[in-house]
Amino acid sequence: MKLHSGNLAWSHTNHPISAYPSLRQHLSCDCLIIGGGIGGALCAHLLADSHMDTVLIDKRTIASGSTLANTGLIQFSNDKTLTSMINTFGEKPAVRFYKMCQGAVGKLIRISQNLQQEARITPRNSLYLASSEADLSMLREEFTTLCRHHFPVEWWDRNMIAERFPFQKSGAIYSYCDGEGNPFAFVHGLIQAAAANGVSIFEQTEASGFKFLKDGVLCRAGDYTIRAKHVIFSAGYETQQFHKEKGAHLTSSFVMVTEPADHFDDWFERCLIWETARPYLYMRTTPDQRIMIGGLDEPLENDRLDEARHLHQGQVLLEKLHQLFPEKKHLQAAYAYGAVFGESRDGLPYIGPHPDYPHCYFLKGLGGNGAVYSMIAAEMITDVLTGKQRRDMDWFSLTRTSKPTPAVHRSNME
Ligand SMILES: Cc1cc2nc3c(=O)[nH]c(=O)nc-3n(C[C@H](O)[C@H](O)[C@H](O)COP(=O)(O)OP(=O)(O)OC[C@H]3O[C@@H](n4cnc5c(N)ncnc54)[C@H](O)[C@@H]3O)c2cc1C
């Protein structure tokens, strides 16, 4: 599957990256991780600490799947608001999930502090704008819900926004304790640390077949096999190819990155910005003084990414940015790309085992919060593999849509 197309910004940053060999021998291990994106890298990092004998393979190179397209906004709020989650799942489970996301943001920041400078995740606040007057009451309700459950948020009215930004919006939630990073550098940092800690990493090594044994899994990878007691499937949107519950709805999403700006005096605290419209526009600044703006999601053409569409959509994103920040009208696009983007229908990630795949765990960090979901998933899966009970994993079950009642999931979250 072609995951992105165009000129991707992160691969041009000056982060020193390591290359890894392809598999040249039969292997056996305690745990095989399939996929070297953010999900696989977090699992490798956590398993390295647990001293399990771990192997990670990627059919491309490290962090060159969807992680390369990821714009690096790390937020506890989700595409599906807390209010909406409460309506779907009930108060306790929904709040518990949002708290998990909040905890995961903190963990990502903490983990990154031990990595090289460029791989670190920087704390940032977020501005969640009402896209229109009509969205104001919904956003106000979300603010009240977040306050009731002690999330660190403020309500900003039209004047407060106008004092801090050059655009007019009728209201916004300003939230604290989010983060931003360079996902490409972060994943390379995690993998380098895992490799230094004993995890074997192989690039250009595709898992192409599986035999499920009584005591593990035999995975074919090119001319070789890897015999593993456990397998973690963290193959991003391509995980869909491995099991029949597709789960994800795939679209195209677009990103444009400007040339470096001379200042951000008109951008309060260089916060992350997003909005209530669906699909939403979102933007951030980068350490090398650029603006990254994304959105304009649209259906895939015949299930495939249109490889030239980013040229048009990048221009539209630039115009939208100029409308919001008129002082930045001189800034042109330096990078523009399109990428496949996946969402689950209920807004939750898929995490856990699948009845047809013994000894295997799946990690599918779908949605705009893929990094946060991957952190939650990596921790849950590695907990289970190292002998800790995680009954809450059932809430994210791959087969949840075929289960008779959501109460099954609720009970494990309460
Ligand atoms: C435009 C865009 C912007 C985004 N912005 C954000 C954001 O700001 N914040 C956020 O949290 N999330 C964001 N996301 C979502 C985020 O990018 C994804 O959720 C996340 O990168 C998924 O990571 P992953 O490790 O699951 O997948 P991937 O990064 O795709 O990694 C999977 C890896 O598996 C490998 N693989 C696949 N099949 C096989 C096989 N058979 N054998 C071996 N290897 C295999 C692939 O080569 C790939 O490297 C964004 C997504 C897009 C498209």
Side-chain angles (χ1 to χ4, degrees):
M1 180 194 283
K2 177 109 178 143
L3 292 170
H4 37 67
S5 135
N7 196 2
L8 287 108
W10 298 129
S11 38
H12 296 272
T13 46
N14 288 328
H15 182 71
I17 56 167
S18 305
Y20 300 91
S22 59
L23 188 68
R24 292 265 179 272
Q25 58 179 321
H26 299 298
L27 285 181
S28 65
C29 59
D30 293 327
C31 183
L32 168 65
I33 302 169
I34 299 172
I38 196 160
L42 283 165
C43 289
H45 190 75
L46 296 180
L47 284 175
D49 282 345
S50 79
H51 304 295
M52 274 179 93
D53 178 16
T54 303
V55 173
L56 180 148
I57 60 171
D58 197 296
K59 70 177 182 183
R60 302 185 177 91
T61 51
I62 294 302
S64 62
S66 303
T67 295
L68 189 57
N70 184 326
T71 44
L73 283 78
I74 313 280
Q75 298 173 293
F76 69 79
S77 279
N78 288 281
D79 298 357
K80 191 170 164 107
T81 60
L82 177 57
T83 313
S84 170
M85 287 235 164
I86 289 174
N87 291 338
T88 310
F89 302 110
E91 187 149 34
K92 259 192 173 170
V95 173
R96 171 102 199 268
F97 178 64
Y98 255 62
K99 293 281 175 194
M100 271 184 180
C101 292
Q102 191 185 22
V105 172
K107 280 174 196 156
L108 285 165
I109 294 175
R110 277 197 298 283
I111 286 177
S112 81
Q113 295 315 302
N114 296 324
L115 308 176
Q116 289 172 23
Q117 184 62 38
E118 267 213 53
R120 293 194 192 149
I121 294 169
T122 313
R124 282 274 185 234
N125 302 327
S126 293
L127 182 72
Y128 187 22
L129 294 166
S131 307
S132 65
E133 289 284 337
D135 288 352
L136 204 56
S137 60
M138 177 280 279
L139 193 62
R140 263 248 171 238
E141 189 185 1
E142 175 64 0
F143 169 70
T144 309
T145 311
L146 288 168
C147 281
R148 193 167 63 243
H149 296 289
H150 311 291
F151 287 94
V153 287
E154 283 173 6
W155 179 256
W156 286 10
D157 62 17
R158 182 183 291 279
N159 291 338
M160 292 173 80
I161 298 167
E163 278 162 20
R164 293 162 175 82
F165 295 93
F167 46 77
Q168 300 286 325
K169 293 282 171 185
S170 49
I173 296 174
Y174 197 69
S175 49
Y176 294 87
C177 308
D178 286 333
E180 73 179 27
N182 170 340
F184 180 73
F186 177 57
V187 167
H188 269 282
L190 289 173
I191 293 283
Q192 273 163 22
N197 224 347
V199 176
S200 305
I201 312 288
F202 298 97
E203 293 181 322
Q204 314 287 1
T205 301
E206 177 167 4
S208 52
F210 303 92
K211 201 167 171 186
F212 299 97
L213 313 169
K214 255 200 192 135
D215 57 351
V217 180
L218 193 65
C219 168
R220 173 154 294 286
D223 294 336
Y224 304 97
T225 56
I226 304 172
R227 194 187 173 105
K229 290 182 190 149
H230 305 281
V231 175
I232 300 175
F233 285 91
S234 182
Y237 304 142
E238 290 164 310
T239 305
Q240 309 242 97
Q241 293 161 0
F242 295 119
H243 63 87
K244 59 180 186 290
E245 272 91 8
K246 296 273 174 245
H249 167 63
L250 300 183
T251 57
S252 324
S253 190
F254 300 90
V255 176
M256 187 279 304
V257 185
T258 65
E259 302 163 320
D262 2 312
H263 68 86
F264 289 106
D265 298 346
D266 51 354
W267 190 315
F268 185 73
E269 292 184 337
R270 293 177 65 159
C271 62
L272 313 175
I273 302 177
W274 61 313
E275 59 165 351
T276 51
R278 293 291 180 272
Y280 53 85
L281 271 188
Y282 59 95
M283 62 207 89
R284 56 165 285 189
T285 64
T286 66
D288 59 351
Q289 315 294 4
R290 299 172 192 274
I291 297 168
M292 197 167 219
I293 173 167
L296 306 181
D297 302 9
E298 54 185 28
L300 291 171
E301 282 271 318
N302 303 321
D303 283 340
R304 298 172 69 175
L305 192 64
D306 177 333
E307 295 203 23
R309 183 74 178 146
H310 64 275
L311 298 171
H312 174 269
Q313 298 295 72
Q315 198 53 38
V316 178
L317 287 167
L318 185 64
E319 283 158 22
K320 293 204 177 276
L321 179 72
H322 289 164
Q323 281 162 18
L324 288 165
F325 291 91
E327 267 194 35
K328 306 230 174 313
K329 268 211 162 116
H330 61 285
L331 286 183
Q332 293 302 310
Y335 303 95
Y337 57 88
V340 175
F341 178 71
E343 293 170 287
S344 67
R345 294 183 206 284
D346 59 7
L348 296 178
Y350 288 95
I351 308 169
H354 187 285
D356 298 343
Y357 296 80
H359 317 293
C360 295
Y361 290 87
F362 289 81
L363 180 165
K364 290 167 77 178
L366 299 161
N369 246 357
V372 167
Y373 289 2
S374 295
M375 181 72 244
I376 293 171
E379 195 175 47
M380 278 190 167
I381 293 171
T382 55
D383 273 356
V384 171
L385 288 180
T386 53
K388 291 189 202 111
Q389 264 216 347
R390 289 299 301 254
R391 290 183 60 234
D392 47 0
M393 191 190 259
D394 192 41
W395 206 49
F396 305 105
S397 155
L398 275 80
T399 54
R400 63 179 176 260
T401 39
S402 48
K403 284 188 176 174
T405 152
V408 173
H409 310 307
R410 284 182 190 192
S411 62
N412 289 320
M413 290 292 288
E414 283 170 1

